[in-house]
Amino acid sequence: MYWETLPNWFWVIYYLFFLSTAGTAIYSVIRKKRIRLSVAAILFAVTVPIISLINSIGRAEGMNEFEHFLDQLQQGEMWTVFTIAGYLFLFIWWVLFLLNSKAKKQDIGST
C-alpha cells in the first residue's frame, strides 16, 4: 500500500519551523524573557507535530496529510482543533519574539 504525501520541501520547511521555534524559545528561557510564553512555545513545538503525525498514520489511502487534516477538521476531531490552536499560538509567539528583537535593536541604535 502506498499513501500520498506532501512534497519533501514542505516537510523540510515544516520541521525547520518547529526546530527554530523550539530553539528560539529555549534561548528566551535561558535569557529569562517571557518564560511562560516560551515554555508554552516549547511544548507546542514538540506536541503539535507528534500529535499530527500520530493522527495522520491512519488516514485513508489516496489522501495526503493536509487532505486528511481538513477531513478530520470537518468532522470536529479534537486533535485538529488542538493543532490549529498550536499553530496560531506559535505564529503569535514568533510575532512577539520578532517585535521584541526589533525593539531591542532600535533601543541599541538610539544610544
Side-chain angles (χ1 to χ4, degrees), residues 8-22:
N8 289 336
W9 62 265
F10 173 83
W11 294 115
V12 169
I13 294 170
Y14 182 77
Y15 287 112
L16 278 176
F17 170 74
F18 288 111
L19 285 173
S20 60
T21 301

Side-chain angles (χ1 to χ4, degrees), residues 81-94:
V81 175
F82 174 79
T83 304
I84 288 176
Y87 292 142
L88 183 61
F89 178 85
L90 293 176
F91 176 75
I92 291 170
W93 187 87
W94 268 107

Side-chain angles (χ1 to χ4, degrees), residues 27-95:
Y27 173 79
S28 293
V29 169
I30 290 170
R31 293 287 192 168
K32 297 181 181 170
K33 304 289 181 182
R34 292 191 187 105
I35 293 176
R36 290 182 183 160
L37 286 177
S38 298
V39 169
I42 293 167
L43 291 174
F44 276 121
V46 171
T47 58
V48 167
I50 291 172
I51 288 173
S52 296
L53 175 69
I54 289 170
N55 286 292
S56 292
I57 291 172
R59 67 184 186 274
E61 197 170 333
M63 277 186 139
N64 66 30
E65 293 84 354
F66 184 68
E67 293 167 339
H68 177 69
F69 179 81
L70 291 179
D71 180 59
Q72 295 293 297
L73 181 61
Q74 289 174 345
Q75 293 180 24
E77 292 292 327
M78 212 46 213
W79 73 271
T80 58
V81 175
F82 174 79
T83 304
I84 288 176
Y87 292 142
L88 183 61
F89 178 85
L90 293 176
F91 176 75
I92 291 170
W93 187 87
W94 268 107
V95 168

